[in-house]
Amino acid sequence: MRLYINLINFNSNKLAGVGYFFKRIISNIDFGDEKWNKFDEIILLSNTNVDCLTLFDINVNVKIRVVKFSFLHNFAFRILFEQFVLPFYLMKGKNVVFSPTPSIPLWAKLLNKKNVLISSIHDMIPFRVDNKYSFLRSLYIKGLSKKAAQNSDLIITVSEFSKLDIVEITNIESSKIKVIYNFIPEFKFSSESISEPYFVTVCTIEPGKNIENMIIGFNNFLNKNKEFDFYKYKIVGQFGWNYNTIISLIKDLGLEEKVELMGYLSDVDKNKVIENCTGMIYLSKYEGFGIPPLEAMYFDKISIVSNISSLPEVVGDAGIVQDPNDTVLLADNLKKLITNSDDFRANIKYQIGKFNPQIQINKFVEIITFYS
């Protein structure tokens, strides 16, 4: 039996959320363990643009073989390969196909009923957030996500919220979906960081992240609390679509000296910004998980998060939860974050324990080796 891992979606050395999630799991797996003996070969399907072993820090094993394709950096060619060529690779014997994304060969089971398909669907953003993708790309991702959910033998997702959302949209049985929480293996809890007078948000800088309301709420906070008018607001993340509207809002409110768009930062620099902040603001209107508030907890920082999607699940009783559209309430909660956060901070260690890295890694190993 062979295990195929489909990595051809990853065509650059810059990883985003889905890529980081997979890397945190795969880099901590020992393929020499006897649980993996059932596979005669582990085949990594990769794009020639990247060295997937290095990119994902995969522990090399004699069973692992990398197969690279030179033309798959093209979006259209990749789709054609996955759906109309890859199934023919899987016609003989029993094969397990795992994808860290919804991109599985949908016809593989028609050509060989022994094949086992395991996909990953982190969220249903295309169905919930308008203008996130172009029309054609949105149409493709919606169709692929639905078909992947329906055709997969098993689906991995990152929160109980996402599990419910997938069931609602695709009308599949919830028993097909297994939750593996996001986690941060390289972080250790520390309560020794200092708190400088600024709040932070870590996200792609685009309208879909509700940055406008966070900026307006911060402005309300400054206007209502003159004793805290020295506070600043730092937004960390690469610039996405239509970010000029956010820059215009900052100028219109006269916050050029108060709100800093820091752009993309290295992990080291980003972590330093989180470590030294007073607290995090994360009022996204839709998240499959939402890892920045978890990162903040490792530095003993609390977050103000939306009361919708997965975010209440992530922070539990260790964060302030509110309506993402209520900018007046945000102003009050920012003051609470400064003056009265000890009750929330007392719950941080317990909440972090829910996302124990080894438990999540073991879940993944069990899914691939047992359910196959």
PDB file of all heavy atoms in Angstrom, residues 4 8 30 53 70 141 190 240 288 301 320 361:
ATOM      1  N   TYR A   4       0.149   8.617  -0.798  1.00  0.00           N
ATOM      2  CA  TYR A   4       0.446   9.793  -1.611  1.00  0.00           C
ATOM      3  C   TYR A   4       0.072  11.041  -0.813  1.00  0.00           C
ATOM      4  O   TYR A   4      -1.033  11.130  -0.258  1.00  0.00           O
ATOM      5  CB  TYR A   4      -0.362   9.790  -2.906  1.00  0.00           C
ATOM      6  CG  TYR A   4       0.106   8.794  -3.939  1.00  0.00           C
ATOM      7  CD1 TYR A   4      -0.314   7.471  -3.885  1.00  0.00           C
ATOM      8  CD2 TYR A   4       0.948   9.180  -4.974  1.00  0.00           C
ATOM      9  CE1 TYR A   4       0.097   6.542  -4.847  1.00  0.00           C
ATOM     10  CE2 TYR A   4       1.363   8.272  -5.941  1.00  0.00           C
ATOM     11  CZ  TYR A   4       0.934   6.955  -5.873  1.00  0.00           C
ATOM     12  OH  TYR A   4       1.345   6.050  -6.826  1.00  0.00           O
ATOM     13  N   ILE A   8       1.300  19.685  -4.396  1.00  0.00           N
ATOM     14  CA  ILE A   8       1.545  20.499  -5.588  1.00  0.00           C
ATOM     15  C   ILE A   8       0.877  21.867  -5.515  1.00  0.00           C
ATOM     16  O   ILE A   8       1.183  22.747  -6.321  1.00  0.00           O
ATOM     17  CB  ILE A   8       1.108  19.756  -6.871  1.00  0.00           C
ATOM     18  CG1 ILE A   8      -0.380  19.453  -6.864  1.00  0.00           C
ATOM     19  CG2 ILE A   8       1.913  18.487  -7.053  1.00  0.00           C
ATOM     20  CD1 ILE A   8      -0.857  18.797  -8.153  1.00  0.00           C
ATOM     21  N   ASP A  30       7.836  10.903  12.996  1.00  0.00           N
ATOM     22  CA  ASP A  30       8.921   9.961  12.752  1.00  0.00           C
ATOM     23  C   ASP A  30       8.375   8.839  11.868  1.00  0.00           C
ATOM     24  O   ASP A  30       7.645   7.968  12.344  1.00  0.00           O
ATOM     25  CB  ASP A  30       9.441   9.395  14.076  1.00  0.00           C
ATOM     26  CG  ASP A  30      10.518   8.342  13.891  1.00  0.00           C
ATOM     27  OD1 ASP A  30      11.016   8.195  12.753  1.00  0.00           O
ATOM     28  OD2 ASP A  30      10.851   7.656  14.876  1.00  0.00           O
ATOM     29  N   LEU A  53      10.800  18.852   0.944  1.00  0.00           N
ATOM     30  CA  LEU A  53      11.402  18.277   2.149  1.00  0.00           C
ATOM     31  C   LEU A  53      11.933  19.373   3.068  1.00  0.00           C
ATOM     32  O   LEU A  53      11.774  19.320   4.285  1.00  0.00           O
ATOM     33  CB  LEU A  53      12.526  17.311   1.780  1.00  0.00           C
ATOM     34  CG  LEU A  53      12.112  16.021   1.059  1.00  0.00           C
ATOM     35  CD1 LEU A  53      13.344  15.230   0.649  1.00  0.00           C
ATOM     36  CD2 LEU A  53      11.210  15.165   1.943  1.00  0.00           C
ATOM     37  N   SER A  70       7.090  19.747 -13.336  1.00  0.00           N
ATOM     38  CA  SER A  70       7.608  21.066 -13.697  1.00  0.00           C
ATOM     39  C   SER A  70       6.541  22.045 -14.153  1.00  0.00           C
ATOM     40  O   SER A  70       6.751  23.249 -14.138  1.00  0.00           O
ATOM     41  CB  SER A  70       8.658  20.925 -14.810  1.00  0.00           C
ATOM     42  OG  SER A  70       8.058  20.331 -15.960  1.00  0.00           O
ATOM     43  N   ILE A 141     -13.251  27.089  -6.037  1.00  0.00           N
ATOM     44  CA  ILE A 141     -13.000  26.660  -4.661  1.00  0.00           C
ATOM     45  C   ILE A 141     -14.284  26.150  -4.002  1.00  0.00           C
ATOM     46  O   ILE A 141     -14.275  25.159  -3.272  1.00  0.00           O
ATOM     47  CB  ILE A 141     -12.372  27.801  -3.839  1.00  0.00           C
ATOM     48  CG1 ILE A 141     -10.987  28.152  -4.396  1.00  0.00           C
ATOM     49  CG2 ILE A 141     -12.247  27.416  -2.368  1.00  0.00           C
ATOM     50  CD1 ILE A 141     -10.360  29.366  -3.759  1.00  0.00           C
ATOM     51  N   SER A 190       5.125  31.912  28.473  1.00  0.00           N
ATOM     52  CA  SER A 190       5.967  32.818  29.249  1.00  0.00           C
ATOM     53  C   SER A 190       5.117  33.959  29.794  1.00  0.00           C
ATOM     54  O   SER A 190       4.339  34.569  29.057  1.00  0.00           O
ATOM     55  CB  SER A 190       7.091  33.386  28.373  1.00  0.00           C
ATOM     56  OG  SER A 190       7.804  34.401  29.068  1.00  0.00           O
ATOM     57  N   GLY A 240      -3.295  42.727   1.346  1.00  0.00           N
ATOM     58  CA  GLY A 240      -4.154  41.914   0.500  1.00  0.00           C
ATOM     59  C   GLY A 240      -4.904  42.766  -0.505  1.00  0.00           C
ATOM     60  O   GLY A 240      -4.404  43.787  -0.985  1.00  0.00           O
ATOM     61  N   GLY A 288     -11.778  29.973  10.330  1.00  0.00           N
ATOM     62  CA  GLY A 288     -11.882  28.536  10.560  1.00  0.00           C
ATOM     63  C   GLY A 288     -11.254  28.162  11.884  1.00  0.00           C
ATOM     64  O   GLY A 288     -11.684  27.216  12.559  1.00  0.00           O
ATOM     65  N   LYS A 301      -0.798  37.181  26.932  1.00  0.00           N
ATOM     66  CA  LYS A 301      -1.569  38.339  26.476  1.00  0.00           C
ATOM     67  C   LYS A 301      -2.992  37.891  26.163  1.00  0.00           C
ATOM     68  O   LYS A 301      -3.206  36.828  25.556  1.00  0.00           O
ATOM     69  CB  LYS A 301      -0.951  38.959  25.221  1.00  0.00           C
ATOM     70  CG  LYS A 301       0.538  39.269  25.328  1.00  0.00           C
ATOM     71  CD  LYS A 301       0.831  40.352  26.340  1.00  0.00           C
ATOM     72  CE  LYS A 301       2.335  40.681  26.341  1.00  0.00           C
ATOM     73  NZ  LYS A 301       2.666  41.761  27.280  1.00  0.00           N
ATOM     74  N   ILE A 320     -11.644  38.277  25.801  1.00  0.00           N
ATOM     75  CA  ILE A 320     -12.843  39.114  25.815  1.00  0.00           C
ATOM     76  C   ILE A 320     -13.568  38.898  24.485  1.00  0.00           C
ATOM     77  O   ILE A 320     -12.971  39.047  23.418  1.00  0.00           O
ATOM     78  CB  ILE A 320     -12.479  40.600  25.988  1.00  0.00           C
ATOM     79  CG1 ILE A 320     -11.729  40.806  27.314  1.00  0.00           C
ATOM     80  CG2 ILE A 320     -13.723  41.474  25.931  1.00  0.00           C
ATOM     81  CD1 ILE A 320     -11.143  42.212  27.476  1.00  0.00           C
ATOM     82  N   ILE A 361      -0.779  16.024  16.945  1.00  0.00           N
ATOM     83  CA  ILE A 361       0.064  15.222  16.047  1.00  0.00           C
ATOM     84  C   ILE A 361      -0.363  13.757  16.089  1.00  0.00           C
ATOM     85  O   ILE A 361      -0.472  13.090  15.053  1.00  0.00           O
ATOM     86  CB  ILE A 361       1.552  15.372  16.421  1.00  0.00           C
ATOM     87  CG1 ILE A 361       2.020  16.807  16.145  1.00  0.00           C
ATOM     88  CG2 ILE A 361       2.415  14.381  15.642  1.00  0.00           C
ATOM     89  CD1 ILE A 361       3.340  17.153  16.794  1.00  0.00           C
TER      90      ILE A 361
END
